[in-house]
Amino acid sequence: MTTRPTAKENAKRFASVIQALQACEAACTHCATECGKNGHAEAMARCIGVCTDCAEYCALTRKFLERNSEFADLLLEDCAEICSQCAEECDHHGQGHCSACATACRACMDACLKVAGVEAVTAEPTVF
């Protein structure tokens, strides 16, 4: 039987990703709220939905990490993928809150992948 790290051991390991998850959750929540203002909700429906999903998944992942759940590692790669998709959606819009959200999503994606032990793919693959 494998011994799991203690909550104290994981608190140190997870500190930076928890901060990134909190920042991403806040940025996504703000972005979704702002996108729905001024009668733009219909035009920004996908952005609102993706940002809301991303915020909720970041919150869930953070809660699993904070309570040292044995399943926390399973959520990290999925969270990174959702953050990547959210950043891509926000990139389509020229609004400041969308740019800030995309930046927070990419930082969170990188932090999740780092803790999960997966290298982030930030550049286009080389074609031979």
Side-chain angles (χ1 to χ4, degrees), residues 58-118:
C58 285
L60 176 69
T61 303
R62 178 182 48 79
K63 289 174 187 175
F64 272 56
L65 291 170
E66 287 174 339
R67 66 182 177 79
N68 199 33
S69 169
E70 66 183 282
F71 303 110
D73 287 338
L74 298 175
L75 278 72
L76 290 166
E77 287 186 57
D78 289 339
C79 190
E81 178 60 28
I82 293 168
C83 287
S84 175
Q85 294 291 321
C86 189
E88 285 182 30
E89 176 60 29
C90 285
D91 282 340
H92 294 299
H93 311 288
Q95 300 170 27
H97 55 83
C98 284
S99 294
C101 185
T103 299
C105 285
R106 285 193 177 88
C108 189
M109 177 190 75
D110 289 344
C112 286
L113 292 175
K114 181 179 178 183
V115 170
V118 178

Side-chain angles (χ1 to χ4, degrees), residues 12-63:
K12 190 173 193 175
R13 176 179 168 221
F14 295 146
S16 64
V17 73
I18 287 172
Q19 288 178 342
L21 287 161
Q22 289 171 325
C24 189
E25 178 186 355
C28 288
T29 300
H30 178 71
C31 189
T33 300
E34 291 301 310
C35 285
K37 289 184 176 178
N38 302 321
H40 295 117
E42 189 173 319
M44 300 297 284
R46 182 158 196 283
C47 191
I48 293 167
V50 172
C51 285
T52 300
D53 290 345
C54 189
E56 290 181 9
Y57 208 88
C58 285
L60 176 69
T61 303
R62 178 182 48 79
K63 289 174 187 175

